[in-house]
């Protein structure tokens, strides 16, 4: 619809994105951003756009979505507590299930406090914007997740980014912060675009030496990395040195929701002052029940963790041997990122894989670092060794079809 | 440090990022004229921060559009 009054159209700012998308679709590829899963058969297989497809682009790292205990807990809660709370956590939206999932998180992380948000996005938004205020400084990695950036934007702190995983760049910036200012360093355990792990041990030490509090987003490591699945901070032996861990239920836990855990003695006050916690409805009872069950099972999932590592190593080695360019030299997480020469060929390769019966994530700027186009593969502990071999041969055929190999 | 000296130093820091060798005036805009994207901005800001041992937070960067404004901001942060 045109604009009859001749006033500026507020949507004209999206014209570049509209053109990019139209150009891509005009080349004839299936739209990578409107795939529909018609039926989900298991954590690793679904019917997508009418084809049976192996899922290699979900965040279902630990394959908990169809766990019988998890599903049963959800059904029980649905039957006994209803479909939703219709209220904020601080009013009528705290049920026993919400207290129980927070208890499960305290057990999982062996920490004093846990606070559950409606999504991980809101957990970052809320915690960051609330604790770093006017006159405080946030020092963060330039490749931080959108929810971290939005948390910075929502608050009033001075925001100082540094080059990805660059310890020296981070230290220099910390040392230049004016005397007496509050400091928050924000890091991620696993960066989800390339699947690389941060040198947290060094970074957290330096942050602490410079008087900063440290928040680590462990969205992509929970349940998998570290002996007890507590994340990269556990793996690198510094979990007691970080002030806040942010996480999500939307990946390894297999449902939806977000959280922050901490040992800070005043942590609980956040429940009253954190707006993205207060001014939104709490999670449905079935969701918190599935999350609590899943989290407690993840505490004892050592065998699954081992199998997921095996899958990650096999896929990384297989794709490397085929000649694909990967985001990391060694497998560092459950994410293996395949670097595409450009968006057009990336979309072509994505489509060729889909026709083979494989779903991966197509990631493109601005979500990606250095304007890269990536095919992100995320493995699941429920992928069998045979499925991983099938995936490698699908990549080989699609790579030839799409002219990447 | 005097504004003129800061001006000169920043000019030499721009050089490696000024791919099209655009002539720099006080009014030259980083995004429109020099076509800096967000990655270039980060590297360029880091170079200035290291040269002058200062922090230019993103909040401050948002106020800086032109070369002249940058020189002013650095002059102020220096003192
Ligand atoms: C690093 C990181 N933090 C936070 C989130 C947000 O999680 P959620 O899906 O629970 O909103 C994500 C997921 O997209 C993420 O990758």
């Amino acid at each position: 619809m045109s604009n009859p009054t001749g006033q500026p159209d507020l949507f004209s700012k999206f014209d570049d994105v509209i053109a990019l998308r139209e150009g891509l679709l005009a080349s004839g590829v299936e739209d990578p951003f409107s795939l529909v899963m018609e039926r989900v058969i298991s954590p690793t297989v679904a019917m997508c756009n009418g084809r049976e497809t192996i899922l290699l682009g979900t965040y279902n790292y630990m394959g908990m979505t169809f766990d019988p205990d998890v599903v049963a807990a959800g059904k029980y809660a649905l039957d006994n507590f209803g479909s939703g709370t219709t209220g904020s956590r601080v009013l009528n939206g705290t049920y026993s299930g919400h207290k129980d999932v927070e208890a499960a998180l305290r057990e999982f992380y062996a920490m004093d406090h846990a606070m559950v948000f409606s999504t991980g996005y809101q957990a970052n938004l809320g915690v960051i914007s609330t604790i770093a205020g006017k006159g405080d400084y946030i020092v963060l990695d330039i490749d931080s997740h959108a929810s971290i950036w939005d948390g910075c934007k929502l608050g009033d702190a001075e925001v100082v980014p540094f080059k990805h995983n660059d310890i020296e760049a981070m230290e220099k910036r910390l040392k230049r912060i004016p005397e007496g200012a509050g400091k928050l360093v924000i890091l991620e355990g696993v960066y989800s675009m390339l699947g690389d792990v941060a040198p947290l041990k060094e970074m957290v030490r330096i942050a602490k030496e410079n008087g900063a509090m440290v928040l680590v987003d462990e969205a992509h490591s929970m349940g998998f990395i570290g002996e007890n699945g507590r994340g990269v901070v556990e793996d690198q032996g510094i979990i007691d040195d970080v002030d806040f861990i942010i996480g999500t239920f939307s990946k390894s836990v297999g449902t939806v929701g977000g959280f922050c855990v901490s040992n800070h003695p005043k942590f609980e006050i956040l429940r009253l002052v954190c707006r993205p916690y207060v001014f939104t409805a709490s999670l449905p009872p079935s969701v918190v029940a599935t999350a609590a069950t899943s989290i407690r099972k993840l505490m004892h999932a050592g065998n699954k963790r081992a199998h997921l590592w095996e899958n990650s190593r096999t896929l990384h080695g297989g794709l490397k041997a085929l000649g694909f360019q990967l985001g990391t030299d060694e497998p560092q997480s459950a994410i293996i990122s395949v670097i595409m020469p450009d968006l057009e060929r990336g979309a072509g390769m994505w489509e060729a894989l889909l026709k083979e019966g494989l779903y991966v994530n197509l990631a493109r700027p601005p979500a990606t670092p250095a304007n890269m186009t990536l095919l992100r593969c995320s493995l699941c502990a429920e992928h069998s060794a045979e499925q991983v071999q099938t995936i490698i041969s699908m990549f080989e055929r699609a790579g030839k079809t799409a002219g990447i190999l | 440090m005097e504004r003129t000296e800061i001006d000169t130093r920043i000019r030499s820091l721009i050089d490696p990022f000024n791919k099209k060798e655009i002539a720099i005036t006080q009014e030259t805009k980083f995004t429109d004229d020099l076509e800096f994207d967000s990655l270039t901005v980060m590297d360029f800001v880091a170079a200035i921060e290291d040269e002058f041992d200062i922090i230019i937070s993103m909040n401050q960067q948002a106020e800086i559009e032109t070369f002249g404004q940058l020189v002013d901001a650095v002059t102020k942060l220096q003192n």
Side-chain angles (χ1 to χ4, degrees):
Chain A
M1 201 183 75
S2 67
N3 194 337
T5 59
Q7 295 297 317
D9 179 0
L10 293 172
F11 277 59
S12 57
K13 56 175 84 64
F14 309 125
D15 287 349
D16 286 353
V17 187
I18 291 170
L20 183 76
R21 184 183 160 81
E22 282 173 353
L24 192 64
L25 296 183
S27 71
V29 295
E30 272 182 69
D31 186 352
F33 305 110
S34 55
L35 179 97
V36 178
M37 308 237 171
E38 289 120 9
R39 209 154 52 81
V40 182
I41 295 156
S42 74
T44 62
V45 179
M47 295 299 291
C48 299
N49 292 1
R51 294 181 208 99
E52 182 165 317
T53 305
I54 298 181
L55 303 175
L56 190 68
T58 76
Y59 296 129
N60 200 355
Y61 300 122
M62 297 297 282
M64 299 304 284
T65 49
F66 284 88
D67 180 280
D69 297 328
V70 170
V71 172
K75 282 182 178 162
Y76 180 85
L78 198 53
D79 286 340
N80 289 277
F81 292 90
S83 57
T85 68
T86 71
S88 159
R89 283 296 306 274
V90 292
L91 296 171
N92 57 305
T94 296
Y95 290 12
S96 55
H98 297 84
K99 300 307 283 179
D100 185 51
V101 73
E102 287 174 344
L105 284 167
R106 290 195 300 272
E107 293 159 28
F108 185 89
Y109 285 101
M111 289 213 184
D112 296 343
H113 306 282
M115 186 170 160
V116 168
F117 292 76
S118 297
T119 65
Y121 178 89
Q122 282 163 290
N124 270 327
L125 204 62
V127 174
I128 294 168
S129 66
T130 308
I131 65 178
K134 201 158 185 59
D136 298 329
Y137 279 75
I138 295 173
V139 176
L140 82 169
D141 192 292
I142 192 84
D143 287 347
S144 293
H145 187 259
S147 57
I148 293 174
W149 284 110
D150 291 355
C152 293
K153 228 172 175 176
L154 188 66
D156 296 315
E158 297 292 322
V159 179
V160 183
F162 61 87
K163 191 167 163 229
H164 179 53
N165 276 351
D166 188 329
I167 299 171
E168 196 189 325
M170 182 195 78
E171 181 167 24
K172 277 188 199 159
R173 275 155 192 79
L174 276 170
K175 290 202 185 307
R176 290 177 192 143
I177 292 173
E179 192 77 27
K183 299 169 211 158
L184 176 66
V185 169
I186 305 179
L187 306 166
E188 293 179 35
V190 172
Y191 285 85
S192 65
M193 285 300 141
L194 295 178
D196 56 325
V197 158
L200 288 185
K201 190 175 177 138
E202 236 355 56
M203 294 181 119
V204 171
R205 180 180 60 76
I206 290 167
K208 291 277 127 186
E209 281 170 10
N210 286 279
M213 284 194 173
V214 180
L215 178 152
V216 180
D217 182 331
E218 292 275 15
H220 293 274
S221 54
M222 181 188 188
F224 172 41
I225 295 179
E227 195 186 339
N228 299 292
R230 292 173 187 158
V232 177
V233 288
E234 180 186 35
D235 193 50
Q236 298 190 10
I238 43 146
I239 195 163
D240 293 332
D241 301 326
V242 302
D243 298 276
F244 310 97
I245 294 174
I246 295 279
T248 172
F249 299 160
S250 75
K251 308 194 193 300
S252 290
V253 176
T255 174
V256 65
F259 62 87
C260 180
V261 292
S262 175
N263 285 327
H264 195 292
K266 297 180 187 167
F267 186 76
E268 295 293 327
I269 197 63
L270 284 182
R271 293 188 200 270
L272 296 184
V273 295
C274 180
R275 295 166 63 89
Y277 177 83
V278 175
F279 293 100
T280 195
S282 65
L283 289 166
S286 56
V287 168
V288 288
T290 52
T293 308
S294 180
I295 290 164
R296 290 196 172 103
K297 287 193 88 161
L298 287 175
M299 294 172 77
H300 312 288
N303 291 341
K304 274 187 148 184
R305 286 191 259 284
H307 180 65
L308 183 49
W309 272 120
E310 198 179 296
N311 284 346
S312 177
R313 283 191 290 267
T314 309
L315 183 64
H316 189 282
L319 294 179
K320 199 168 163 178
L322 285 174
F324 285 104
Q325 193 191 347
L326 304 182
T328 56
D329 288 337
E330 301 298 325
Q332 296 184 9
S333 67
I335 301 169
I336 311 285
S337 213
V338 187
I339 301 173
M340 293 288 112
D342 51 51
L343 179 58
E344 213 172 32
R345 277 181 283 176
M349 177 73 186
W350 179 86
E351 187 187 38
L353 285 170
L354 197 63
K355 288 189 171 147
E356 287 285 337
L358 183 66
Y359 174 76
V360 300
N361 256 211
L362 177 64
R364 61 175 168 141
T368 52
N371 293 322
M372 284 187 277
T373 297
L374 305 169
L375 293 183
R376 286 160 65 239
C377 308
S378 35
L379 286 148
C380 175
E382 295 289 319
H383 280 127
S384 65
E386 299 76 59
Q387 270 177 322
V388 177
Q389 291 306 328
T390 306
I391 289 166
I392 294 170
S393 39
M394 286 168 159
F395 258 94
E396 182 170 19
R397 285 191 299 271
K400 286 176 182 154
T401 311
I404 306 285
L405 285 182
Chain B
M1 209 182 293
E2 292 294 319
R3 192 185 189 284
T4 46
E5 191 190 339
I6 289 171
D7 181 306
T8 314
R9 286 218 212 173
I10 295 181
R11 273 173 204 275
S12 62
L13 290 174
I14 289 181
D15 269 349
F17 300 99
N18 187 1
K19 295 271 159 39
K20 293 189 180 157
E21 299 184 17
I22 309 253
I24 307 288
T25 70
Q26 297 300 311
E27 281 72 45
T28 303
K29 289 189 172 160
F30 292 104
T31 44
D32 298 352
D33 300 327
L34 295 174
E35 298 175 11
F36 279 14
D37 61 13
S38 59
L39 290 172
T40 312
V41 168
M42 183 191 67
D43 289 338
F44 176 57
V45 169
I48 292 180
E49 288 179 329
D50 288 350
E51 173 81 9
F52 297 98
D53 197 23
I54 52 172
I55 283 184
I56 312 174
S57 71
M58 293 187 81
N59 321 45
Q60 290 164 315
Q61 289 169 36
E63 309 282 309
I64 300 170
E65 265 187 54
T66 65
F67 175 75
Q69 289 170 343
L70 176 63
V71 178
D72 288 341
V74 172
T75 309
K76 223 166 113 196
L77 286 164
Q78 271 278 289
N79 303 313

